[in-house]
Amino acid sequence: MADVAEIKHRIKSIQDTHQITKAMELVSTAKMRKSMQKHVYSSAYFNSVRYTLKDILHHSTDIRHKYTEHRADERTAYIVIAGDKGLAGAFNNNVLNLAWAHMQTRPVHYVVTIGQMARAFFEAKNQSDDLEFTHAVASPTLHDARGIMRDILDLYDGNLMDEVYVIFTRMVSTSVHEPVMVKLLPIEEKDIGVDVKDTYGGQIGYDPSPEEVLNVLVPQYLVGMIYTALIHSSASEHAARMMAMSNANKNADKMLETLNLEYNRLRQSAITTELLDLSSGRFLSDK
């Protein structure tokens, strides 16, 4: 049975850890809200880009463009987005296992890792990464998304890959985070997640041509998709860490309650024993 001093030491240790996990929960909550605010601010523009791009592909069925033409599907590139830290439940494992499972279905592939956990995961699998962005997911910016987009387009334009996927965690709600895989290149109408409404008569004209408009829209579309993936991944990581720290706080409260009860019981037992000893000593002295 543990003595009073040992239980007191355990209570102090759990209280110290509880303060850390509580602070981490509050920080993660604030960062999650900040990430989703970024998504709200940028979504209006990028939704317009996606809508225009899908409209062109929907109505210009005879269009021929290097970013829409299907290739051999033998050289697949993966942009894998995970976190820079752990302590976020199954957040990192879920998205990384999804990426690894799909990679086993492709004979040749290139890997772009975003986040230190992604880099460490593929190192453990003896899979080298071709490009690495370790801090882009901590606080995503459009600058980071443009840099990733330029590197991917350089490789794609150089005919070094046939298709590109981005694998990240989509934040459905604060408690639901879904690892998903989205195809970036070549661009197909079915992969663009907006609805084109045929409520107007005729067809929109694009000047000087749909192909020229695509040359402008595709980089913006890819920047928007990568930025959205970074934002969702960042928000999901913070939400997962917030939930993990919340559960840790609840467990700490239960442990503290149990230990305090045990501490009080032992203290009461010790006091009772001391009183009995005093009473016995007084009784013997009276005799």
Side-chain angles (χ1 to χ4, degrees):
M1 180 182 294
D3 58 17
V4 173
E6 180 181 350
I7 291 179
K8 190 174 182 180
H9 176 74
R10 290 178 62 190
I11 290 174
K12 179 65 168 59
S13 177
I14 293 173
Q15 286 174 338
D16 292 341
T17 304
H18 187 279
Q19 290 180 346
I20 296 173
T21 55
K22 186 63 177 178
M24 291 179 66
E25 179 185 0
L26 294 175
V27 170
S28 295
T29 302
K31 288 185 175 181
M32 176 195 67
R33 291 173 179 171
K34 185 177 180 180
S35 295
M36 293 313 297
Q37 284 178 352
K38 288 183 178 181
H39 175 63
V40 171
Y41 294 155
S42 62
S43 60
Y45 171 74
F46 290 124
N47 284 340
S48 297
V49 171
R50 284 195 290 267
Y51 183 90
T52 305
L53 184 59
K54 189 165 186 176
D55 182 80
I56 293 176
L57 297 178
H58 182 71
H59 293 97
S60 303
T61 56
D62 59 341
I63 194 170
R64 294 293 181 268
H65 195 276
K66 62 180 179 179
Y67 295 130
T68 62
E69 292 180 353
H70 189 271
R71 297 183 180 180
D73 290 349
E74 294 180 353
R75 299 168 299 174
T76 303
Y78 296 91
I79 304 173
V80 184
I81 305 175
D84 283 332
K85 297 182 293 184
L87 297 177
F91 166 78
N92 289 305
N93 284 337
N94 289 341
V95 68
L96 293 173
N97 287 332
L98 172 64
W100 184 251
H102 195 269
M103 286 179 183
Q104 307 314 302
T105 66
R106 294 293 192 272
V108 180
H109 50 260
Y110 299 86
V111 180
V112 179
T113 59
I114 302 177
Q116 295 185 18
M117 301 302 292
R119 177 183 55 80
F121 176 85
F122 288 111
E123 281 184 356
K125 297 288 188 180
N126 295 320
Q127 170 66 55
S128 60
D129 52 358
D130 299 279
L131 291 173
E132 177 183 334
F133 300 88
T134 54
H135 301 292
V137 76
S139 181
T141 64
L142 282 171
H143 177 75
D144 296 326
R146 290 191 185 99
I148 297 168
M149 179 272 298
R150 283 193 294 266
D151 290 337
I152 291 298
L153 282 186
D154 287 343
L155 295 173
Y156 194 81
D157 291 341
N159 198 30
L160 297 177
M161 55 184 65
D162 299 319
E163 57 182 0
V164 182
Y165 288 91
V166 58
I167 302 175
F168 65 100
T169 304
R170 176 181 291 142
M171 184 170 173
V172 181
S173 66
T174 304
S175 58
V176 180
H177 321 117
E178 177 188 15
V180 295
M181 182 171 61
V182 177
K183 189 175 183 179
L184 293 183
L185 291 170
I187 299 173
E188 299 182 51
E189 182 184 346
K190 62 183 178 64
D191 296 323
I192 303 176
V194 292
D195 294 327
V196 175
K197 300 178 181 179
D198 293 322
T199 56
Y200 54 85
Q203 182 175 336
I204 297 177
Y206 293 97
D207 185 59
S209 67
E211 289 80 3
E212 290 296 327
V213 175
L214 279 179
N215 287 334
V216 177
L217 284 181
V218 167
Q220 297 302 316
Y221 167 75
L222 294 178
V223 167
M225 292 296 292
I226 294 171
Y227 183 68
T228 299
L230 289 172
I231 289 293
H232 271 267
S233 183
S234 176
S236 297
E237 179 184 6
H238 294 311
R241 186 170 293 112
M242 178 189 69
M243 292 177 59
M245 294 303 101
S246 176
N247 291 333
N249 291 332
K250 292 177 182 178
N251 292 333
D253 289 335
K254 292 179 180 178
M255 293 175 65
L256 286 173
E257 182 180 358
T258 301
L259 288 173
N260 281 321
L261 288 174
E262 180 67 13
Y263 176 78
N264 291 333
R265 188 185 67 80
L266 290 176
R267 283 285 297 152
Q268 185 64 41
S269 177
I271 292 171
T272 302
T273 301
E274 290 177 4
L275 290 174
L276 288 174
D277 290 342
L278 289 173
S279 300
S280 300
R282 183 177 180 180
F283 175 75
L284 292 175
S285 64
D286 290 342
K287 292 184 67 176

